[in-house]
Every structure is written in structure tokens, then in C-alpha cells.
Amino acid sequence: MKVELFVPCFVDQLYPETAFNTLRLLEKSGCDVTYNSKQTCCGQPAYNAGYWDEAKEVGTKFLNDFTENTYVVAPSASCVGMVKGGFNDLFTNTIVHNKCRSLQSNIWELSDFLVNVAKRDYFGAELEGKAVYHDSCSALRECKIKDEPRQLLSKVHGLEMIEMEDTDMCCGFGGTFAVKFDAISSAMAEQKVNHALAQQADYIISTDLSCLLHLQGYIEKNNLPIKTMHIADVLCNGWLESTEY
């Protein structure tokens, strides 16, 4: 099974180990993975800020960076959701309409791909402690992902998964929302973290590092006894030797 790896720009810059772990999971699932080092961004920041012309320019490069008839997998439901949904506004009835539709049907968030395409949910991972899962807005509403991450996490040795209150409520990040409405954004992060702490969780796990970046910032600012982890990092925990790529 051939797969093209899409590493979102902020993952590349801030969380490269999550990108490597995504690669490891795909390879362990039997995939033949390629990576186009010229890839950059899907255009979501500009799109969400209302700069659609700029987003279209970046999005056009994205369409040219990937093969339309090959699986494209990313460790970010937010970016996958942008391609699946936001690209409709940018490219419907344009010269690249058909190419866009083909890519939209072949792009997958990591957990969704592992469970529903690769048919793998066990990777021999180990992580001691209690955890809650945060349903990101993009995963839940744009990519329709709910059960897949929970299925994968239920197979992690030593990890006790607990459902927290309002697990499907926004964490408050929302890209530029966190900048324009910082007080509201911080209050939403506080509520999300408090719900996790109420369950005595050691970890908050999600498919989206943008959410986790926001929550981890609140956690560190307030010196709280909990940490965030991306699902790819959890699924690789405890079973891989250090590997150079």
C-alpha cells in the first residue's frame, strides 16, 4: 500500500518527533511511505483569517505537491479537515476541480487511516497511567472521527482511558481565535484541563497538536500535574528503538 506522508507546517517546525512516529506507524502497518520535502502548508491559517486569495495560492501548491490517486496521510485532523472542507470554497468549479476532488477522497487523518484502511489497531505500545481523549473540533465535525482513536488507545498496555466531561467541546484554540479572543480562549482551555484533572488523568491525548499546544501552554503556565500527548507518540511509546531518519 503506497502512502504519501503529509507533515503539517507546525508539526514540522515544533513537533518533528510526531512526524517521525507517524512514519513509523505507517511503515509498521506495511505501507510504502514517501515524503515530498518540498511540501509546506495546506493554507488553513490564511483561510481561517479570511485571506482566501492567499490561501488559494498556498492550496494550489499543496495540490501540486501530492499525487491525487495515492493515499495521503497526516497526523492532524485539522489540516485534513481543511483539505476536505475548506478546499471546496477555494477550488470548486476551477481548473483544478477534479484534481482537488480526487485528493479530497484520498487524504486521511492518521488514526482514521490505521483503523479503516490499514485495518490495524494494535502496535504493542506501552504507557502507564490514566488518560482522557480530547475530541478536536476538526476531527469530530470535519473528519467524522470519534471511535477510531479510542479503539487504538484501548490497545495500549498500561493505559487506562477515562471519558471526561464535555470531551467534544472546543479547547479554545481555533487558530486566530486564540489571538483575537485570548481571554475567552484561555477560559476554554482552563475548563478543558479542569475536566481532565477531575478524572485524575495523567495525560490528555488527541489527534491534533494545535489543540495540545494550546492546552500544554495553559498547563505549563499554571504548573499543573498533567501533560498532553499526540496519539502517534502514544502508539509508538515503549516499542521502538531510537531510529535515525
Side-chain angles (χ1 to χ4, degrees):
M1 188 183 301
K2 292 186 177 181
V3 169
E4 294 183 35
L5 177 61
F6 167 37
V7 179
C9 50
F10 70 97
V11 176
D12 177 69
Q13 294 297 309
L14 300 176
Y15 301 99
E17 188 61 25
T18 301
F20 287 127
N21 282 336
T22 299
L23 171 60
R24 291 165 181 143
L25 288 166
L26 291 172
E27 289 182 336
K28 193 161 186 177
S29 299
C31 298
D32 177 13
V33 185
T34 59
Y35 173 76
N36 181 356
S37 61
K38 294 182 179 180
Q39 64 178 268
T40 53
C41 177
C42 64
Q44 183 179 188
Y47 176 83
N48 287 344
Y51 296 98
W52 283 20
D53 289 339
E54 290 80 358
K56 188 173 183 178
E57 182 177 354
V58 177
T60 299
K61 181 182 184 305
F62 182 93
L63 291 177
N64 291 328
D65 284 340
F66 294 93
T67 306
E68 57 191 284
N69 295 317
T70 303
Y71 289 119
V72 177
V73 179
S76 170
S78 177
C79 295
V80 171
M82 169 62 189
V83 175
K84 284 185 171 293
F87 275 25
N88 289 335
D89 294 321
L90 303 179
F91 299 113
T92 295
N93 295 328
T94 68
I95 194 171
V96 294
H97 177 99
N98 291 337
K99 183 174 184 178
C100 178
R101 289 291 181 269
S102 294
L103 187 53
Q104 285 176 317
S105 66
N106 285 307
I107 191 167
W108 294 75
E109 182 275 329
L110 176 63
S111 68
D112 194 11
F113 180 84
L114 292 176
V115 172
N116 295 314
V117 180
K119 305 299 182 182
R120 289 286 302 272
D121 63 4
Y122 176 72
F123 293 92
E126 298 179 359
L127 182 64
E128 293 292 332
K130 296 181 180 180
V132 293
Y133 176 76
H134 162 60
D135 290 285
S136 75
C137 297
S138 296
L140 193 63
R141 296 167 178 82
E142 296 177 6
C143 299
K144 312 303 180 186
I145 298 169
K146 178 74 174 181
D147 297 330
E148 291 83 357
R150 290 170 169 82
Q151 181 176 334
L152 290 160
L153 293 170
S154 71
K155 303 295 180 66
V156 176
H157 295 287
L159 187 63
E160 180 184 354
M161 294 300 302
I162 307 167
E163 289 292 327
M164 64 176 164
E165 184 180 354
D166 294 333
T167 182
D168 57 355
M169 295 294 288
C170 181
C171 69
F173 179 64
T176 53
F177 176 86
V179 178
K180 295 179 179 179
F181 305 99
D182 58 312
I184 299 173
S185 175
S186 296
M188 294 171 74
E190 178 183 18
Q191 182 183 57
K192 178 68 66 170
V193 173
N194 283 342
H195 284 331
L197 290 172
Q199 298 297 332
Q200 299 181 322
D202 302 299
Y203 306 99
I204 300 174
I205 301 171
S206 184
T207 58
D208 280 87
L209 281 165
S210 50
C211 299
L212 298 179
L213 171 69
H214 180 57
L215 295 174
Q216 188 65 40
Y218 177 82
I219 289 167
E220 292 179 1
K221 181 179 180 180
N222 293 279
N223 297 311
L224 299 174
I226 193 171
K227 67 177 294 187
T228 59
M229 288 187 73
H230 188 275
I231 190 169
D233 301 324
V234 175
L235 295 178
C236 285
N237 197 69
W239 61 263
L240 269 174
E241 298 292 335
S242 178
T243 305
E244 294 294 333
Y245 281 95

